[in-house]
Amino acid sequence: MRAPEVGGVRLPDGRGQTLRLAQGASLSDFADKIDVNPAQLVQALFNLGEMVTATQSVTPETLQLLGEEMGFKIQVVSPEDEDRELLESFDLSFGEDQGGEDDLERRPAVVTVMGHVDHGKTRLLDSIRQAKVGEGEAGGITQHIGAYQVTAPVDGTDRTITFIDTPGHEAFTAMRARGAKSTDIAIIVVAADDGVMPQTVEAINHAQAAEVPIVVAVNKIDKEGAQPDKIRGQMTEYGLVPEEYGGDTMFVDISAKQGLNIDSLLEAVVLTADAALDLRANPDMDAQGVAIEAHLDRGRGPVATVLIQRGTLRVGDSIVAGDAYGRVRRMVDEHGEDVSEATPSRPVQVIGLTSVCAAGDTLMVVEEDRTARQIADRRNARKRNALAARSRRRISLEDLDSHLKETSQLNLIIKGDNSGTVEALEEALLGIEIDDEVQLRVIDRGVGAVTETNVNLAAASDAVIIGFNVRAEGKATEMANREGVDIRYYSIIYQAIEEIESALKGMLKPIYEEKQLGQAEIRELFRSSKVGTIAGCMVLDGIMRRNAKARLIRDGNVVAEEMTVSSLRREKDDVTEVREGFECGLTVTYADIKIGDIIETYELVEKPRD
Ligand code: GDP
């Protein structure tokens, strides 16, 4: 077979081989894999109409296109897959093998407190902490390490709960955007004198998007004007139906300020966890967990608070956390006490890493220091490589097309200047009629500027943000650029609808129709050592065209489909077309041809959708 020509450049033939390339790979990386000069790929792509440099990272679609032109099957590997493979190369895996059923033991639920500003999240976390000090728990919770554990009696047994000590969904989403799942249950705090507010709704959306069960804490019931029943009604609109109304969400009326009903809230958390989740982990394996906070301490060096997810972490263990590694020198709990081991769901400050990891990084214990260092080094190198790719747009309306070929779902976040327009816009957008193949989902909506939280959620869910009569605030634009999140601003509703509608239409896979080009009869066969069998034909009707698709018909039966007319000659000249009534010599990508066979050529034309 001849080497393929791409945009006039002769390149190696992939012969259907599968080639794996990292997401964000450059032409230089690609060239390395197939052992050609990167300049050739740059040239080929240039001739195909795209101008990129050898080291610039290119989109997965471009890699696909270029690869397919050469006959390779391209697999674009995501960073998560890559990391999994990196670990596999050391015979390790994160979060998968935990042994058999018998090895699993119950672990405490991990809870994040979310809700609107000033509804009492911080106060609630404080009063849970203090309630336990009041009960004389050893030492009290004296250190702010980013999480703490408390125990609560439920049905006569003491049950432990782990609280992530950073209120709000920022941390929650930031971690989710990095693929880490740290929370089992979300407590959503709503002030009974205020009601459901924009961030309450955001919090619900975040929890639901992460499929985390919710317990609702109706706070400030000590206040005059508190209407806990009204809150229940409001929350129902967001799919959170109270148990007492026949739903399955537990609502607890509390006063964080007076420490009222805190125990009932803790009980509700445990009961919800028992009903909805199977919280078990194997404590007898090398520890794995997630970093929820990390900083550089003047005296102690890099310090990371780690939530153990499975296994037991011990002083002396060799660890790797993101691109940091080291050995556990000390572990300190929220009481400021040294601990020698930490079991599943236990948060501990870990001292002994050589650098500061990031919140959301996974931590795992490995056999040898050397392995830990090698994994960290490889991640570090990858991070540096990916930095360039990071600036690439994640998803925008323009490249929805390719994105949706996989998911067929467009996620939107709508922000507007008042709730009326947001609702109207959402309704209108959801009313757009498109094929069943593609779906539009509004994953969050709200009044006010586009915030960093919105961008975070968009990045985590590959969503496009629509700002209606509002703009991005603070660092949201910068973050959107960095994360490659597309924010679209509109001030006229129908314009927004039109754009989204055409983007969705573009997302539909094209429908192709066959258009017949012509038929030719094989009159003679010639053997050529160079090109194989040449068919001497008479064009009966229409045209024969070089590179056209063709099928072979013998005695009225189709004997071969999906052939291509690979060369076409008239007399001694290579030609692109030969018309009805003329003789020609051609070759097809099918060997078994016979005199008397009919070659029918056709092309596929895209049919416009209406
Ligand atoms: P956050 O923004 O959600 O963390 O809210 P905070 O915990 O900072 O609380 C906001 C304000 O509400 C503070 O002044 C608290 O003292 C007050 N607050 C919190 N919980 C209660 C409560 O149960 N009753 C009353 N009366 N005030 C509360």
Side-chain angles (χ1 to χ4, degrees), residues 178-208:
R178 317 193 62 229
K181 180 161 182 188
S182 54
T183 299
D184 300 313
I185 301 256
I187 293 184
I188 296 193
V189 179
V190 199
D193 62 338
D194 199 16
V196 171
M197 299 301 274
Q199 285 166 291
T200 317
V201 179
E202 265 181 24
I204 296 171
N205 290 328
H206 285 299
Q208 286 175 342

PDB file of all heavy atoms in Angstrom, residues 178-208:
ATOM      1  N   ARG A 178     -11.587  18.753  40.445  1.00  0.00           N
ATOM      2  CA  ARG A 178     -10.342  18.027  40.287  1.00  0.00           C
ATOM      3  C   ARG A 178     -10.577  16.527  40.384  1.00  0.00           C
ATOM      4  O   ARG A 178      -9.636  15.741  40.478  1.00  0.00           O
ATOM      5  CB  ARG A 178      -9.334  18.475  41.333  1.00  0.00           C
ATOM      6  CG  ARG A 178      -9.324  19.986  41.497  1.00  0.00           C
ATOM      7  CD  ARG A 178      -8.150  20.455  42.272  1.00  0.00           C
ATOM      8  NE  ARG A 178      -6.933  20.110  41.575  1.00  0.00           N
ATOM      9  CZ  ARG A 178      -5.905  19.516  42.145  1.00  0.00           C
ATOM     10  NH1 ARG A 178      -5.941  19.187  43.390  1.00  0.00           N
ATOM     11  NH2 ARG A 178      -4.845  19.250  41.438  1.00  0.00           N
ATOM     12  N   GLY A 179     -11.832  16.156  40.400  1.00  0.00           N
ATOM     13  CA  GLY A 179     -12.151  14.734  40.333  1.00  0.00           C
ATOM     14  C   GLY A 179     -12.112  14.027  41.681  1.00  0.00           C
ATOM     15  O   GLY A 179     -12.207  12.816  41.760  1.00  0.00           O
ATOM     16  N   ALA A 180     -11.958  14.786  42.772  1.00  0.00           N
ATOM     17  CA  ALA A 180     -11.885  14.143  44.081  1.00  0.00           C
ATOM     18  C   ALA A 180     -13.262  14.133  44.715  1.00  0.00           C
ATOM     19  O   ALA A 180     -13.975  15.120  44.681  1.00  0.00           O
ATOM     20  CB  ALA A 180     -10.919  14.892  44.977  1.00  0.00           C
ATOM     21  N   LYS A 181     -13.612  13.014  45.283  1.00  0.00           N
ATOM     22  CA  LYS A 181     -14.873  12.980  46.006  1.00  0.00           C
ATOM     23  C   LYS A 181     -14.568  12.812  47.475  1.00  0.00           C
ATOM     24  O   LYS A 181     -14.020  11.807  47.897  1.00  0.00           O
ATOM     25  CB  LYS A 181     -15.759  11.847  45.491  1.00  0.00           C
ATOM     26  CG  LYS A 181     -17.045  11.833  46.263  1.00  0.00           C
ATOM     27  CD  LYS A 181     -18.175  11.096  45.620  1.00  0.00           C
ATOM     28  CE  LYS A 181     -19.373  11.260  46.565  1.00  0.00           C
ATOM     29  NZ  LYS A 181     -20.518  10.507  46.255  1.00  0.00           N
ATOM     30  N   SER A 182     -14.910  13.836  48.257  1.00  0.00           N
ATOM     31  CA  SER A 182     -14.560  13.766  49.666  1.00  0.00           C
ATOM     32  C   SER A 182     -15.794  13.715  50.551  1.00  0.00           C
ATOM     33  O   SER A 182     -15.719  13.283  51.678  1.00  0.00           O
ATOM     34  CB  SER A 182     -13.726  14.986  50.043  1.00  0.00           C
ATOM     35  OG  SER A 182     -14.419  16.153  49.673  1.00  0.00           O
ATOM     36  N   THR A 183     -16.927  14.161  50.045  1.00  0.00           N
ATOM     37  CA  THR A 183     -18.113  14.308  50.883  1.00  0.00           C
ATOM     38  C   THR A 183     -19.133  13.200  50.640  1.00  0.00           C
ATOM     39  O   THR A 183     -19.409  12.852  49.505  1.00  0.00           O
ATOM     40  CB  THR A 183     -18.764  15.678  50.592  1.00  0.00           C
ATOM     41  OG1 THR A 183     -17.821  16.692  50.914  1.00  0.00           O
ATOM     42  CG2 THR A 183     -20.015  15.885  51.406  1.00  0.00           C
ATOM     43  N   ASP A 184     -19.681  12.679  51.759  1.00  0.00           N
ATOM     44  CA  ASP A 184     -20.732  11.668  51.632  1.00  0.00           C
ATOM     45  C   ASP A 184     -22.109  12.299  51.745  1.00  0.00           C
ATOM     46  O   ASP A 184     -23.049  11.879  51.083  1.00  0.00           O
ATOM     47  CB  ASP A 184     -20.604  10.625  52.752  1.00  0.00           C
ATOM     48  CG  ASP A 184     -19.273   9.900  52.725  1.00  0.00           C
ATOM     49  OD1 ASP A 184     -18.875   9.462  51.626  1.00  0.00           O
ATOM     50  OD2 ASP A 184     -18.627   9.792  53.783  1.00  0.00           O
ATOM     51  N   ILE A 185     -22.231  13.273  52.656  1.00  0.00           N
ATOM     52  CA  ILE A 185     -23.531  13.880  52.948  1.00  0.00           C
ATOM     53  C   ILE A 185     -23.360  15.401  52.987  1.00  0.00           C
ATOM     54  O   ILE A 185     -22.354  15.895  53.500  1.00  0.00           O
ATOM     55  CB  ILE A 185     -24.039  13.434  54.343  1.00  0.00           C
ATOM     56  CG1 ILE A 185     -24.159  11.912  54.405  1.00  0.00           C
ATOM     57  CG2 ILE A 185     -25.328  14.152  54.718  1.00  0.00           C
ATOM     58  CD1 ILE A 185     -25.550  11.371  54.325  1.00  0.00           C
ATOM     59  N   ALA A 186     -24.341  16.139  52.475  1.00  0.00           N
ATOM     60  CA  ALA A 186     -24.307  17.598  52.570  1.00  0.00           C
ATOM     61  C   ALA A 186     -25.400  18.052  53.527  1.00  0.00           C
ATOM     62  O   ALA A 186     -26.537  17.593  53.440  1.00  0.00           O
ATOM     63  CB  ALA A 186     -24.535  18.211  51.200  1.00  0.00           C
ATOM     64  N   ILE A 187     -25.009  18.935  54.460  1.00  0.00           N
ATOM     65  CA  ILE A 187     -26.035  19.594  55.275  1.00  0.00           C
ATOM     66  C   ILE A 187     -26.271  20.941  54.612  1.00  0.00           C
ATOM     67  O   ILE A 187     -25.327  21.709  54.425  1.00  0.00           O
ATOM     68  CB  ILE A 187     -25.577  19.822  56.730  1.00  0.00           C
ATOM     69  CG1 ILE A 187     -25.423  18.485  57.446  1.00  0.00           C
ATOM     70  CG2 ILE A 187     -26.578  20.728  57.467  1.00  0.00           C
ATOM     71  CD1 ILE A 187     -25.056  18.633  58.925  1.00  0.00           C
ATOM     72  N   ILE A 188     -27.498  21.219  54.225  1.00  0.00           N
ATOM     73  CA  ILE A 188     -27.786  22.522  53.650  1.00  0.00           C
ATOM     74  C   ILE A 188     -28.509  23.351  54.705  1.00  0.00           C
ATOM     75  O   ILE A 188     -29.560  22.951  55.208  1.00  0.00           O
ATOM     76  CB  ILE A 188     -28.573  22.400  52.343  1.00  0.00           C
ATOM     77  CG1 ILE A 188     -27.647  21.680  51.344  1.00  0.00           C
ATOM     78  CG2 ILE A 188     -29.000  23.785  51.827  1.00  0.00           C
ATOM     79  CD1 ILE A 188     -28.043  21.689  49.928  1.00  0.00           C
ATOM     80  N   VAL A 189     -27.865  24.473  55.061  1.00  0.00           N
ATOM     81  CA  VAL A 189     -28.399  25.330  56.115  1.00  0.00           C
ATOM     82  C   VAL A 189     -29.262  26.410  55.466  1.00  0.00           C
ATOM     83  O   VAL A 189     -28.824  27.095  54.543  1.00  0.00           O
ATOM     84  CB  VAL A 189     -27.243  26.003  56.890  1.00  0.00           C
ATOM     85  CG1 VAL A 189     -27.795  26.920  57.973  1.00  0.00           C
ATOM     86  CG2 VAL A 189     -26.329  24.954  57.497  1.00  0.00           C
ATOM     87  N   VAL A 190     -30.515  26.548  55.965  1.00  0.00           N
ATOM     88  CA  VAL A 190     -31.383  27.619  55.490  1.00  0.00           C
ATOM     89  C   VAL A 190     -31.905  28.377  56.702  1.00  0.00           C
ATOM     90  O   VAL A 190     -32.415  27.764  57.635  1.00  0.00           O
ATOM     91  CB  VAL A 190     -32.618  27.079  54.729  1.00  0.00           C
ATOM     92  CG1 VAL A 190     -33.237  28.174  53.875  1.00  0.00           C
ATOM     93  CG2 VAL A 190     -32.276  25.878  53.885  1.00  0.00           C
ATOM     94  N   ALA A 191     -31.756  29.695  56.690  1.00  0.00           N
ATOM     95  CA  ALA A 191     -32.253  30.485  57.816  1.00  0.00           C
ATOM     96  C   ALA A 191     -33.765  30.584  57.720  1.00  0.00           C
ATOM     97  O   ALA A 191     -34.311  30.990  56.691  1.00  0.00           O
ATOM     98  CB  ALA A 191     -31.621  31.872  57.815  1.00  0.00           C
ATOM     99  N   ALA A 192     -34.427  30.220  58.818  1.00  0.00           N
ATOM    100  CA  ALA A 192     -35.886  30.161  58.822  1.00  0.00           C
ATOM    101  C   ALA A 192     -36.520  31.539  58.711  1.00  0.00           C
ATOM    102  O   ALA A 192     -37.682  31.681  58.351  1.00  0.00           O
ATOM    103  CB  ALA A 192     -36.370  29.468  60.096  1.00  0.00           C
ATOM    104  N   ASP A 193     -35.732  32.600  59.015  1.00  0.00           N
ATOM    105  CA  ASP A 193     -36.300  33.947  58.914  1.00  0.00           C
ATOM    106  C   ASP A 193     -35.994  34.572  57.556  1.00  0.00           C
ATOM    107  O   ASP A 193     -36.305  35.723  57.312  1.00  0.00           O
ATOM    108  CB  ASP A 193     -35.743  34.832  60.044  1.00  0.00           C
ATOM    109  CG  ASP A 193     -34.235  35.000  59.939  1.00  0.00           C
ATOM    110  OD1 ASP A 193     -33.587  34.139  59.302  1.00  0.00           O
ATOM    111  OD2 ASP A 193     -33.709  35.985  60.483  1.00  0.00           O
ATOM    112  N   ASP A 194     -35.349  33.826  56.694  1.00  0.00           N
ATOM    113  CA  ASP A 194     -34.928  34.398  55.414  1.00  0.00           C
ATOM    114  C   ASP A 194     -35.416  33.569  54.224  1.00  0.00           C
ATOM    115  O   ASP A 194     -35.911  34.101  53.241  1.00  0.00           O
ATOM    116  CB  ASP A 194     -33.389  34.502  55.397  1.00  0.00           C
ATOM    117  CG  ASP A 194     -32.892  35.463  54.347  1.00  0.00           C
ATOM    118  OD1 ASP A 194     -33.702  36.264  53.848  1.00  0.00           O
ATOM    119  OD2 ASP A 194     -31.698  35.410  54.009  1.00  0.00           O
ATOM    120  N   GLY A 195     -35.303  32.283  54.321  1.00  0.00           N
ATOM    121  CA  GLY A 195     -35.798  31.432  53.246  1.00  0.00           C
ATOM    122  C   GLY A 195     -34.736  31.060  52.234  1.00  0.00           C
ATOM    123  O   GLY A 195     -33.559  31.388  52.386  1.00  0.00           O
ATOM    124  N   VAL A 196     -35.195  30.360  51.193  1.00  0.00           N
ATOM    125  CA  VAL A 196     -34.284  29.862  50.158  1.00  0.00           C
ATOM    126  C   VAL A 196     -33.728  31.036  49.359  1.00  0.00           C
ATOM    127  O   VAL A 196     -34.484  31.860  48.857  1.00  0.00           O
ATOM    128  CB  VAL A 196     -35.027  28.875  49.236  1.00  0.00           C
ATOM    129  CG1 VAL A 196     -34.181  28.504  48.036  1.00  0.00           C
ATOM    130  CG2 VAL A 196     -35.410  27.624  50.021  1.00  0.00           C
ATOM    131  N   MET A 197     -32.412  31.127  49.305  1.00  0.00           N
ATOM    132  CA  MET A 197     -31.741  32.227  48.618  1.00  0.00           C
ATOM    133  C   MET A 197     -30.840  31.663  47.513  1.00  0.00           C
ATOM    134  O   MET A 197     -30.627  30.455  47.449  1.00  0.00           O
ATOM    135  CB  MET A 197     -30.900  33.032  49.621  1.00  0.00           C
ATOM    136  CG  MET A 197     -31.716  33.658  50.738  1.00  0.00           C
ATOM    137  SD  MET A 197     -32.977  34.792  50.132  1.00  0.00           S
ATOM    138  CE  MET A 197     -32.029  36.279  49.997  1.00  0.00           C
ATOM    139  N   PRO A 198     -30.311  32.556  46.641  1.00  0.00           N
ATOM    140  CA  PRO A 198     -29.530  32.063  45.511  1.00  0.00           C
ATOM    141  C   PRO A 198     -28.464  31.020  45.858  1.00  0.00           C
ATOM    142  O   PRO A 198     -28.356  29.990  45.188  1.00  0.00           O
ATOM    143  CB  PRO A 198     -28.880  33.325  44.964  1.00  0.00           C
ATOM    144  CG  PRO A 198     -29.820  34.416  45.327  1.00  0.00           C
ATOM    145  CD  PRO A 198     -30.466  34.011  46.613  1.00  0.00           C
ATOM    146  N   GLN A 199     -27.696  31.275  46.919  1.00  0.00           N
ATOM    147  CA  GLN A 199     -26.646  30.298  47.228  1.00  0.00           C
ATOM    148  C   GLN A 199     -27.182  29.010  47.828  1.00  0.00           C
ATOM    149  O   GLN A 199     -26.514  27.982  47.805  1.00  0.00           O
ATOM    150  CB  GLN A 199     -25.610  30.915  48.159  1.00  0.00           C
ATOM    151  CG  GLN A 199     -24.713  31.884  47.408  1.00  0.00           C
ATOM    152  CD  GLN A 199     -23.934  32.739  48.383  1.00  0.00           C
ATOM    153  OE1 GLN A 199     -24.498  33.586  49.064  1.00  0.00           O
ATOM    154  NE2 GLN A 199     -22.657  32.496  48.474  1.00  0.00           N
ATOM    155  N   THR A 200     -28.414  29.087  48.395  1.00  0.00           N
ATOM    156  CA  THR A 200     -29.051  27.855  48.860  1.00  0.00           C
ATOM    157  C   THR A 200     -29.266  26.970  47.636  1.00  0.00           C
ATOM    158  O   THR A 200     -28.975  25.772  47.642  1.00  0.00           O
ATOM    159  CB  THR A 200     -30.435  28.149  49.495  1.00  0.00           C
ATOM    160  OG1 THR A 200     -30.347  29.296  50.320  1.00  0.00           O
ATOM    161  CG2 THR A 200     -30.937  26.964  50.263  1.00  0.00           C
ATOM    162  N   VAL A 201     -29.762  27.608  46.574  1.00  0.00           N
ATOM    163  CA  VAL A 201     -30.056  26.867  45.356  1.00  0.00           C
ATOM    164  C   VAL A 201     -28.759  26.338  44.740  1.00  0.00           C
ATOM    165  O   VAL A 201     -28.677  25.181  44.317  1.00  0.00           O
ATOM    166  CB  VAL A 201     -30.804  27.770  44.356  1.00  0.00           C
ATOM    167  CG1 VAL A 201     -31.091  27.010  43.080  1.00  0.00           C
ATOM    168  CG2 VAL A 201     -32.090  28.286  44.978  1.00  0.00           C
ATOM    169  N   GLU A 202     -27.732  27.183  44.738  1.00  0.00           N
ATOM    170  CA  GLU A 202     -26.429  26.730  44.230  1.00  0.00           C
ATOM    171  C   GLU A 202     -25.966  25.498  44.987  1.00  0.00           C
ATOM    172  O   GLU A 202     -25.523  24.518  44.386  1.00  0.00           O
ATOM    173  CB  GLU A 202     -25.373  27.830  44.417  1.00  0.00           C
ATOM    174  CG  GLU A 202     -25.198  28.696  43.203  1.00  0.00           C
ATOM    175  CD  GLU A 202     -24.128  29.768  43.413  1.00  0.00           C
ATOM    176  OE1 GLU A 202     -23.236  29.578  44.263  1.00  0.00           O
ATOM    177  OE2 GLU A 202     -24.206  30.791  42.733  1.00  0.00           O
ATOM    178  N   ALA A 203     -26.089  25.578  46.324  1.00  0.00           N
ATOM    179  CA  ALA A 203     -25.630  24.468  47.161  1.00  0.00           C
ATOM    180  C   ALA A 203     -26.395  23.191  46.817  1.00  0.00           C
ATOM    181  O   ALA A 203     -25.801  22.118  46.684  1.00  0.00           O
ATOM    182  CB  ALA A 203     -25.799  24.817  48.635  1.00  0.00           C
ATOM    183  N   ILE A 204     -27.718  23.319  46.637  1.00  0.00           N
ATOM    184  CA  ILE A 204     -28.527  22.147  46.279  1.00  0.00           C
ATOM    185  C   ILE A 204     -28.029  21.573  44.958  1.00  0.00           C
ATOM    186  O   ILE A 204     -27.825  20.369  44.811  1.00  0.00           O
ATOM    187  CB  ILE A 204     -30.026  22.523  46.160  1.00  0.00           C
ATOM    188  CG1 ILE A 204     -30.562  22.989  47.508  1.00  0.00           C
ATOM    189  CG2 ILE A 204     -30.841  21.349  45.624  1.00  0.00           C
ATOM    190  CD1 ILE A 204     -31.961  23.584  47.451  1.00  0.00           C
ATOM    191  N   ASN A 205     -27.788  22.485  44.000  1.00  0.00           N
ATOM    192  CA  ASN A 205     -27.331  22.019  42.687  1.00  0.00           C
ATOM    193  C   ASN A 205     -25.988  21.307  42.758  1.00  0.00           C
ATOM    194  O   ASN A 205     -25.776  20.294  42.098  1.00  0.00           O
ATOM    195  CB  ASN A 205     -27.229  23.195  41.718  1.00  0.00           C
ATOM    196  CG  ASN A 205     -28.593  23.725  41.359  1.00  0.00           C
ATOM    197  OD1 ASN A 205     -29.560  22.969  41.297  1.00  0.00           O
ATOM    198  ND2 ASN A 205     -28.699  25.022  41.139  1.00  0.00           N
ATOM    199  N   HIS A 206     -25.095  21.868  43.552  1.00  0.00           N
ATOM    200  CA  HIS A 206     -23.776  21.238  43.685  1.00  0.00           C
ATOM    201  C   HIS A 206     -23.906  19.840  44.270  1.00  0.00           C
ATOM    202  O   HIS A 206     -23.298  18.897  43.774  1.00  0.00           O
ATOM    203  CB  HIS A 206     -22.877  22.073  44.590  1.00  0.00           C
ATOM    204  CG  HIS A 206     -22.379  23.305  43.926  1.00  0.00           C
ATOM    205  ND1 HIS A 206     -21.597  23.264  42.797  1.00  0.00           N
ATOM    206  CD2 HIS A 206     -22.540  24.607  44.216  1.00  0.00           C
ATOM    207  CE1 HIS A 206     -21.305  24.495  42.430  1.00  0.00           C
ATOM    208  NE2 HIS A 206     -21.878  25.331  43.267  1.00  0.00           N
ATOM    209  N   ALA A 207     -24.700  19.739  45.336  1.00  0.00           N
ATOM    210  CA  ALA A 207     -24.840  18.446  45.998  1.00  0.00           C
ATOM    211  C   ALA A 207     -25.501  17.446  45.058  1.00  0.00           C
ATOM    212  O   ALA A 207     -25.045  16.311  44.928  1.00  0.00           O
ATOM    213  CB  ALA A 207     -25.656  18.592  47.280  1.00  0.00           C
ATOM    214  N   GLN A 208     -26.544  17.906  44.376  1.00  0.00           N
ATOM    215  CA  GLN A 208     -27.247  16.982  43.483  1.00  0.00           C
ATOM    216  C   GLN A 208     -26.386  16.563  42.306  1.00  0.00           C
ATOM    217  O   GLN A 208     -26.395  15.411  41.896  1.00  0.00           O
ATOM    218  CB  GLN A 208     -28.570  17.595  43.018  1.00  0.00           C
ATOM    219  CG  GLN A 208     -29.601  17.568  44.154  1.00  0.00           C
ATOM    220  CD  GLN A 208     -30.899  18.263  43.799  1.00  0.00           C
ATOM    221  OE1 GLN A 208     -30.950  19.050  42.848  1.00  0.00           O
ATOM    222  NE2 GLN A 208     -31.944  18.001  44.561  1.00  0.00           N
TER     223      GLN A 208
END
